[in-house]
């Protein structure tokens, strides 16, 4: 009789447990993600009452695939158009909340006597709320159409972007084992360059290919092609030193901007649900009740910090952004939990073996408790708002109302906003393309010429001339292209104080052009 691989047996056990807990938690009107975690705990090695998983390493592979598809689906839901719509309010609120929660997390870890690495990871873990849990709670409580939900959605988008950046920075920290500022800056620069390059290729190349192949793209072909592109970007991201999750998110974001974005999102949902369930079950498998009992105090403390800190900082951030007190309180009570990105960050530290063993179960424990409390916190929004209106001094309430009203009447679009946006896009786009051409010339063109021509200086000179010829259109656009003539002219004629900044913008883009040429020459003639 042919031997049945353990992987199939264990996968059957995982999905069976996940299916049962899904039914139970839907009946109880609790988040399904929580059911998956409990199912993982029950079939994990630390709970022997039910049949348990013996080869966890195999399941970790499935869990990594789960993370890839979760981030790919998140990228498909993400859109720069959505980010532009949420505007400055979400950006201000999200930036304030994330910064303060990371600071609180690091300070708390330090006060508990944890290492710097554990404290840094703790700050990242408690800074990111759960999109899945919040959306589920909005749906169950009938809050989707309320005015404050658009602010929460925008803050969640900002948090997702910051979480992706955290994965890169924390991976760099793991490799260097020290918090080196120069290495972090280089990692950020490399990340920005990588993102810009691939989004440019995605904007100009991928839609063209999909349009030409539109008659051949059945649902099956589109699904396979999308998964192939996702995994290809995962491999590419890993080869240049980034995480698999980043590659999956990038490709999802690129595809979301094509005409097939919504169709791919629908096709991939079943695959995401399958591997996402395996990922969350694997999270539960790693829960150690002994460690949870030992660190019950920090779990309770961090739960209070997450609930209180997120409520306070999201509310303050929303008020700073000019939102009314009611909307600020509603947004604050909605984001008092941690979830899937917190698991991914905790898993990163565990897999790279740079965080202590207790940090992962603590993160899961805090997530489980705050998941249960989320619906109750949302229901507390109205009583909390009424309580604050009664308790706060009238001058404060009147000042907040004036500030909010003034913020709402500020004109959303201005000539300066239009001109600065145009300059930013022009400089960024042409700089990324030019740097890509310099790298291609350095690593491929010059070695080819040197293999044909023995004279080093002649080979380098030919490489520089050809590179300059290819870069010429982009350099011309960078330093000479007219930008938003109508808005630029109105600013130039409107006020004499506008002319200085406008001249500085012109000087800036010319300096960037000179720097790019200097970088090219330095590569060949240092």
């Amino acid at each position: 009789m042919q031997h049945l691989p353990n992987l199939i047996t264990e996968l059957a056990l995982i999905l069976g447990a996940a299916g049962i807990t899904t039914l139970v938690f839907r009946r109880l009107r609790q988040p399904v993600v929580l059911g998956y975690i409990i199912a993982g705990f029950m079939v994990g090695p630390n709970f022997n009452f039910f049949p348990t998983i013996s080869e966890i390493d195999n399941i970790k592979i499935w869990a990594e695939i789960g993370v890839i598809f979760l981030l790919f689906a998140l990228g498909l839901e993400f859109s720069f158009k959505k980010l532009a719509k949420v505007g400055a309010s979400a950006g201000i609120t999200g930036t304030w909340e994330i910064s303060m929660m990371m600071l609180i997390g690091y300070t708390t870890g330090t006060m508990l006597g944890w290492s710097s690495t554990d404290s840094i990871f703790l700050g990242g873990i408690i800074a990111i709320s759960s999109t899945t849990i919040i959306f589920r709670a909005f749906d169950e409580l009938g809050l989707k159409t309320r005015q404050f939900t658009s602010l929460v959605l925008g803050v969640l988008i900002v948090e997702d972007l910051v979480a992706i950046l955290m994965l890169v920075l924390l991976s760099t920290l793991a490799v260097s084992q020290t918090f080196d500022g120069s290495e972090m800056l280089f990692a950020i620069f490399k990340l920005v360059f990588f993102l810009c390059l691939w989004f440019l290729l995605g904007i100009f190349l991928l839609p063209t290919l999909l349009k030409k192949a539109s008659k051949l793209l059945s649902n099956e072909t589109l699904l396979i092609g999308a998964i192939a592109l996702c995994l290809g970007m995962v491999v590419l991201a890993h080869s240049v030193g980034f995480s698999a999750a980043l590659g999956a998110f990038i490709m999802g974001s690129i595809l979301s901007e094509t005409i097939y974005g919504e169709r791919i999102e629908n096709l991939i949902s079943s695959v995401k649900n399958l591997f996402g369930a395996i990922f969350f079950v694997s999270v539960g498998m790693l829960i150690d009740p002994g460690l949870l009992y030992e660190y019950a105090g920090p779990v309770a403390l961090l739960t209070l910090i997450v609930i209180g800190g997120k409520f306070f900082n999201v509310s303050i951030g929303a008020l700073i952004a000019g939102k009314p007190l009611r909307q600020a309180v509603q947004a604050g009570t909605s984001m008092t939990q941690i979830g899937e990105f917190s698991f991914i960050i905790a898993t990163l530290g565990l897999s790279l073996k740079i965080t202590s063993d207790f940090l992962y179960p603590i993160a899961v424990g805090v997530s489980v408790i705050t998941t249960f409390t989320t619906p109750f916190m949302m229901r507390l929004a109205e009583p909390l708002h009424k309580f604050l209106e009664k308790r706060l001094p009238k001058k404060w309430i009147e000042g907040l109302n004036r500030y909010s009203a003034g913020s709402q009447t500020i004109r959303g679009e201005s000539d300066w906003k239009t001109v600065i946006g145009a300059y930013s896009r022009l400089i960024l786009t042409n700089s990324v393309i030019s740097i890509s051409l310099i790298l291609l010339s350095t690593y491929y063109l010059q070695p080819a010429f040197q293999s044909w021509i023995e004279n080093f200086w002649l080979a380098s000179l030919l490489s520089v001339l050809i590179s300059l010829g290819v870069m010429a259109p982009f350099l011309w656009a960078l330093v000479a292209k007219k930008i938003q003539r109508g808005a630029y002219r109105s600013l130039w004629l409107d006020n004499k104080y506008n002319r200085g900044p406008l001249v500085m913008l012109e000087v800036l883009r010319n300096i960037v052009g000179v720097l790019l040429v200097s970088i090219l020459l330095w590569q060949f003639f240092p």
Side-chain angles (χ1 to χ4, degrees):
M1 182 176 179
Q2 187 177 4
H3 174 68
L4 186 66
N6 288 335
L7 180 61
I8 296 177
T9 305
E10 293 174 350
L11 194 58
L13 180 60
I14 288 173
L15 294 179
I20 293 172
T21 54
T22 298
L23 295 174
V24 172
F25 274 73
R26 282 195 179 279
R27 179 71 176 176
L28 298 174
R29 294 188 176 181
Q30 294 296 326
V32 176
V33 171
L34 191 58
Y36 290 149
I37 295 172
I38 292 175
F41 172 68
M42 290 191 300
V43 301
N46 298 309
F47 190 80
N48 298 321
F49 189 76
F50 296 106
T52 58
I53 303 298
S54 58
E55 298 181 8
I56 297 183
D57 289 339
N58 289 335
I59 304 306
K60 286 182 178 179
I61 295 175
W62 289 102
E64 289 180 11
I65 299 175
V67 171
I68 289 171
F69 282 106
L70 280 174
L71 270 295
F72 182 53
L74 184 64
L76 287 168
E77 296 170 6
F78 174 83
S79 170
F80 284 103
K81 294 175 183 177
K82 291 181 183 178
L83 186 61
K85 286 180 181 178
V86 300
S89 297
I92 294 170
T93 306
T95 302
W96 172 270
E97 179 250 335
I98 293 168
S99 302
M100 296 307 297
M101 290 305 297
M102 290 187 70
L103 178 61
I104 291 171
Y106 181 80
T107 304
T108 303
T110 304
M111 291 175 65
L112 290 172
W114 296 355
S115 68
S116 296
T117 304
D118 286 338
S119 300
I120 291 171
F121 270 79
L122 177 63
I125 287 169
I126 69 171
I128 309 299
S129 299
S130 172
T131 304
T132 304
I133 294 168
I134 290 173
F135 275 29
R136 176 80 63 179
F138 279 170
D139 189 38
E140 292 173 354
L141 298 176
L143 300 175
K144 279 187 173 181
T145 57
R146 301 288 288 273
Q147 195 171 2
F148 75 94
T149 56
S150 61
L151 174 64
V152 174
L153 172 63
V155 175
L156 289 172
I157 292 173
V158 174
E159 284 190 346
D160 291 342
L161 285 176
V162 173
I164 291 294
L165 180 60
M166 280 186 196
L167 292 176
V168 176
L169 297 182
L170 293 175
S171 299
T172 304
L173 173 64
V175 173
S176 64
Q177 295 294 319
T178 58
F179 194 82
D180 189 334
S182 60
E183 289 186 1
M184 290 296 164
L185 288 174
F186 178 72
I188 293 174
F189 172 77
K190 190 167 71 168
L191 172 64
V192 172
F193 174 73
F194 182 77
L195 291 175
C196 293
L197 175 62
W198 284 105
F199 277 122
L200 285 173
L201 292 177
I203 290 171
F204 294 110
L205 180 62
L206 195 58
T208 304
L209 295 177
L210 290 174
K211 186 176 181 180
K212 289 185 177 180
S214 58
K215 295 181 180 180
L216 305 174
L217 291 178
S218 63
N219 285 344
E220 180 181 359
T221 306
L222 190 60
L223 175 62
I224 293 172
I227 293 175
L229 288 170
C230 170
L231 296 179
M233 183 62 80
V234 164
V235 173
L236 182 61
H238 184 267
S239 65
V240 296
F242 296 121
S243 65
L246 176 65
F249 181 81
I250 289 174
M251 184 48 67
S253 301
I254 291 173
L255 289 173
S256 72
E257 301 294 341
T258 68
I259 59 174
Y260 294 100
E262 187 174 349
R263 186 174 162 192
I264 294 172
E265 185 180 345
N266 293 331
L267 292 173
I268 208 73
S269 61
S270 299
V271 181
K272 178 202 72 172
N273 292 337
L274 171 63
F275 288 105
I278 295 173
F279 167 71
F280 288 116
V281 170
S282 71
V283 168
M285 287 182 191
L286 296 175
I287 298 177
D288 187 343
L291 281 175
L292 277 179
Y293 178 76
E294 182 180 352
Y295 290 92
V299 169
L301 174 63
L302 289 170
T303 299
L304 294 175
I305 287 174
V306 167
I307 294 174
K310 279 188 167 288
F311 166 70
F312 180 78
N313 287 303
V314 172
S315 300
I316 293 297
L319 289 174
I320 293 173
K323 293 297 181 182
L325 180 62
R326 182 190 298 273
Q327 290 186 31
V329 171
Q330 289 171 327
T333 54
S334 300
M335 303 189 69
T336 55
Q337 76 295 115
I338 59 175
E340 52 273 14
F341 261 122
S342 302
F343 298 147
I344 294 171
I345 292 172
T347 304
L348 176 67
L350 198 64
S351 61
L352 295 175
K353 298 180 180 179
I354 61 167
T355 57
S356 302
D357 292 338
F358 60 78
L359 189 60
Y360 185 90
I362 285 177
V364 176
V366 173
S367 175
V368 169
I369 297 172
T370 54
T371 296
F372 274 121
T373 59
T374 295
F376 300 103
M377 289 298 297
M378 289 183 179
R379 292 189 182 100
L380 275 176
E382 199 59 36
L384 275 174
H385 171 249
K386 291 180 179 178
F387 173 81
L388 290 173
E389 277 197 326
K390 289 180 180 178
R391 296 290 182 179
L392 290 176
K394 288 186 178 180
K395 290 183 178 180
W396 290 18
I397 299 294
E398 292 173 358
L400 287 173
N401 290 335
R402 285 196 301 271
Y403 178 75
S404 174
S407 300
Q408 300 302 320
T409 56
I410 293 175
R411 191 159 48 101
E413 290 293 331
S414 66
D415 289 336
W416 266 117
K417 185 177 179 180
T418 303
V419 169
I420 291 175
Y423 269 95
S424 301
R425 288 190 296 271
L426 182 79
I427 293 173
L428 186 63
T429 301
N430 290 285
S431 297
V432 168
I433 294 174
S434 298
I435 292 173
S436 303
L437 292 172
I438 292 171
L439 293 174
L440 288 173
S441 180
T442 303
Y443 291 104
Y444 295 101
L445 186 61
Q446 187 188 34
F449 276 126
Q450 285 183 352
S451 64
W452 300 333
I453 304 172
E454 294 183 359
N455 190 314
F456 170 80
W457 296 103
L458 181 58
S460 298
L461 180 61
L462 288 173
S463 300
V464 168
L465 292 175
I466 292 174
S467 300
L468 281 174
V470 177
M471 289 171 58
F474 306 104
L475 291 174
W476 175 87
L478 178 61
V479 302
K481 185 178 179 181
K482 299 295 183 182
I483 297 178
Q484 294 292 338
R485 295 184 180 183
Y488 189 98
R489 186 182 297 110
S490 64
L491 285 172
W492 185 266
L493 298 175
D494 179 52
N495 192 329
K496 63 180 180 180
Y497 297 109
N498 289 333
R499 296 187 177 183
L502 289 172
V503 171
M504 290 304 298
L505 286 175
E506 289 293 326
V507 171
L508 174 63
R509 66 171 180 166
N510 280 273
I511 289 175
V512 173
V514 172
L515 282 175
L516 290 172
V517 175
S518 301
I519 291 171
L520 173 65
L521 295 174
W522 179 77
Q523 289 292 321
F524 295 101
F525 304 107

